[in-house]
Amino acid sequence: MDTWIEETLPMVFLAVLDGTVTAFVLALIALGLSLVFGVMRIVNVSHGEFFMLGAVFSWFAYHWTADSVWGFVLALLIAPVIVGFIAVFSERFILRKVEYNPESTIVATIGILYIIQQLTLMGFGPEARPVEAPIYFRVSFPWFGYSGYKLLVAVMSGLCLCGIWLLLKRTKLGLYMRATQQDYEIATTFGVPTKKIYASVFALGGGLAALAGVLVVPIRQADHLMGLEPLLLSFIVVIIGGLGSIRGTIIAAFLIGISDGIISVFYEPTLAKMLATLFVVMILIIKPSGLFGENYQ
Amino acid sequence: MMSKKKDENVDQQSELNLTRRSVLGASAAIAGAGIIGSQLIDPVAKTAYAAGSDEPIRIGFQAHRTGIGALYGRWYERTTNAAAKYINSIGGIAGRPIEIITEDDGTDPKRGADVVEKLATKHNVDFVYGTLFSHVVMGSAPRAGELKIPYFVVSEGYHVASGALNRYVFQPCITDVRSQITAVSNWIFGNLGKNVALIYPDYAFGYDHRDYASAAAAKSGAKITAKIAIPPTASSFTRYFVKIPKNTDVIYHVMVGPGVLTFVREMGEHYGTRHPKLFGFIDSLEGVNINSPGLEFLDGSHFWEAMPRYADGYATSGSNFYRDKVGVDNTGASKSDSKDVSAYSHMFGCWETLFAIKEAVEQSGYKSKKDYKTLIETFEGFAGFNEGIAHPQGSKVFSGKTHQCYGQQFVSQVKNGKFNVVHRTSIADGMYEPETDYTKKSL
């Protein structure tokens, strides 16, 4: 019993705590991907790069404000907007040109991924660059300490998720988005500006990823390759939760985040990734639409 | 032979304590193991060779311009260009100018093999050189063997000396991980503690650390309390620290990749002020300013360095000359941008390898590709290289059997926002019995 309290309990506690923080951030990133799929029916492979751009802009803002915390505030306000514009630009001049054809958009967004990544490498450089957290404090638990800022990131991600939910359920834009998601043609007939909605959704997806990038950059660093891991995890989350289902995305993010924490702590992190991937395969075989997804043909 | 200089404080202004005699002493072990008639070489001293043709010696540089190795690649490229420029200014190689042809391998093994092929066939280079990341070396070396072109790597991996590659592959001027660990492990166990938790990346380079640190611990009565492999894609590390047992005296950490600042900060958050001692490999912090926010936790901790980043750590005339030529200031950053920190414990290998190639070409009378056999045999006959402008990191003992060199290592402590050298090993500290003999393999 003593060894359980001394050794196992702190590990369980940490696994759940760390997993929850991961889950909140993951939900925020995956939500953008899920929205884009749900409304536009396209798979955006460059989604991770929007996350990376958020982090990189955050570094620039931090740098321009002479390494002050105002840089973080500036980035929080500006980065999602800039990335949103980049998303609108690529939607207007690339995705619209290929008429949102599923195969073509995959190839096109892979192209966008490489363009963004290589431009960042040229302009920002290959190294990882740190950004200081706006608020820094250590939360002491009986067995170990934990980053206070990380807990703050979880809270802020949670607030953003609530904001998106309100946007979708309580605003006209949200209504249009849901209408477009349900039936593009009927929505168009009823006067929903579907083309503008597509652009807005793509911008919102990119902006959310960028916002997550800004929030996360003080707990890791900005580097030009950081978009890959969240992209893969987002795909896992979105497939498990059900493509296009907001509720599914959030539940799956918690499922993946917390199980990743527990398996990593008690076994191996590689095993956690393997099991997550296996879970995706099982879902695709047993319930291809995901846990909460609609049936798409 | 394996004399130890424990607790030796390095006289930081000392000039070249490694004499020709001590290198010869170390090389005697190898000579005893079968290499006879080998020579020690001091290339810059003898620049008076017969004028050669105007046809350049073409060296294909396999560079990590993009991918995870891009930071190292940038500095490898700067060092290579600086060395080539200097070699040309002193008369080139055997009177022929040196020409560097650079190709990006994307730090990718598959592309690495393609680059070797492109350099050898399309660019028609004399030699291929410069690769760092071990998986790229592993991917590219077989192609170099098939094309029968000498392939000089600057990689640190144990793969060359292990015998896993072929007779065309050499690592003449940077020591391998096994040797580095062998050299500094006694210092770690003797000065920091005997209960050691290992944290290393979850791939071949990390396994070398795990295996040879465990072997060294077993030999000196130290105990490994935990072996924690971290996937290279990890971006959060908190969950790993909880696995470190309470009785751990020392955390031995080697991390490569962009996660290192997070790694350190999270370790600080986890432990607070009471924590085990830390010993790290500088690979984690190459290109990273030690005064970056979040690295405060490393204050007082120790690091292995191959070549001290701060100029006062090893201020010999050769190393000062080299530092100036590659454009690095006294703190290890670019002279033109103090935020651009170098990969100082690795990039010297590029400078030195080009001089080793120069020496092999001149000694063997290499003229064209048909002379590869003589060149390789000449190289295998080398016993080492003397410290100086050509080998600023220090003298090297070279083993023709393993195609791998041995050299001195440094232990530095982080204090007052800089690295301070506290111990320098002898070459002999890092030597081990050869496990292969490339000279017996066919060409």
Side-chain angles (χ1 to χ4, degrees), chain A residues 14 18 22 63 121 126-128 130 132 136 138 144-147 150 218-221 229 260 264-265 267 269-270, chain B residues 66-68 70-71 74 202 231 233 235-236 238-240 242-243 258 261-262 265-266 268-272 293 339:
Chain A
L14 183 105
D18 212 39
T22 311
H63 188 64
L121 176 65
E127 60 269 38
E132 237 168 315
Y136 182 85
R138 178 174 179 264
F144 51 75
Y146 198 77
S147 158
K150 272 192 181 181
I219 43 183
R220 49 174 302 173
Q221 297 88 48
E229 199 203 355
D260 182 75
S264 302
V265 166
Y267 302 97
T270 315
Chain B
T66 52
I68 52 167
L71 185 141
R74 187 174 63 194
D202 197 4
T233 51
S235 55
S236 173
T238 310
R239 56 189 63 170
Y240 302 98
V242 80
K243 293 184 185 183
L261 293 179
T262 315
R265 185 177 4 218
E266 291 186 348
E269 284 159 356
H270 184 84
Y271 279 109
K339 287 200 166 173

Side-chain angles (χ1 to χ4, degrees), chain A residues 76-158:
Chain A
L76 210 53
L77 300 172
I78 304 287
V81 177
I82 301 176
V83 173
F85 273 111
I86 295 172
V88 168
F89 182 84
S90 42
E91 193 272 343
R92 176 72 186 81
F93 293 100
I94 301 168
L95 303 185
R96 201 177 289 186
K97 298 280 178 206
V98 298
E99 293 171 344
Y100 312 105
N101 173 295
E103 286 85 12
S104 309
T105 46
I106 290 180
V107 178
T109 51
I110 290 175
I112 297 173
L113 178 155
Y114 279 119
I115 291 168
I116 294 178
Q117 199 179 82
Q118 294 304 309
L119 284 176
T120 310
L121 176 65
M122 286 160 70
F124 178 74
E127 60 269 38
R129 300 181 191 213
V131 174
E132 237 168 315
I135 302 166
Y136 182 85
F137 58 100
R138 178 174 179 264
V139 181
S140 279
F141 295 108
W143 314 281
F144 51 75
Y146 198 77
S147 158
Y149 178 72
K150 272 192 181 181
L151 299 176
L152 208 67
V153 167
V155 172
M156 287 195 279
S157 300

Side-chain angles (χ1 to χ4, degrees), chain B residues 50-90:
Chain B
S53 72
D54 289 339
E55 182 67 27
I57 293 272
R58 294 163 67 81
I59 296 182
F61 176 32
Q62 186 183 10
H64 303 331
R65 269 187 180 155
T66 52
I68 52 167
L71 185 141
Y72 281 92
R74 187 174 63 194
W75 281 99
Y76 268 38
E77 199 165 341
R78 286 176 186 165
T79 309
T80 299
N81 292 337
K85 190 175 165 199
Y86 177 65
I87 289 173
N88 280 336
S89 77
I90 57 167

Side-chain angles (χ1 to χ4, degrees), chain B residues 9-15 311-316 418 420-422:
Chain B
N9 275 320
V10 176
D11 173 6
Q12 301 193 339
Q13 293 303 317
S14 74
E15 284 276 317
D312 58 5
Y314 195 58
T316 60
K418 69 186 278 283
N420 302 281
V421 173
V422 295

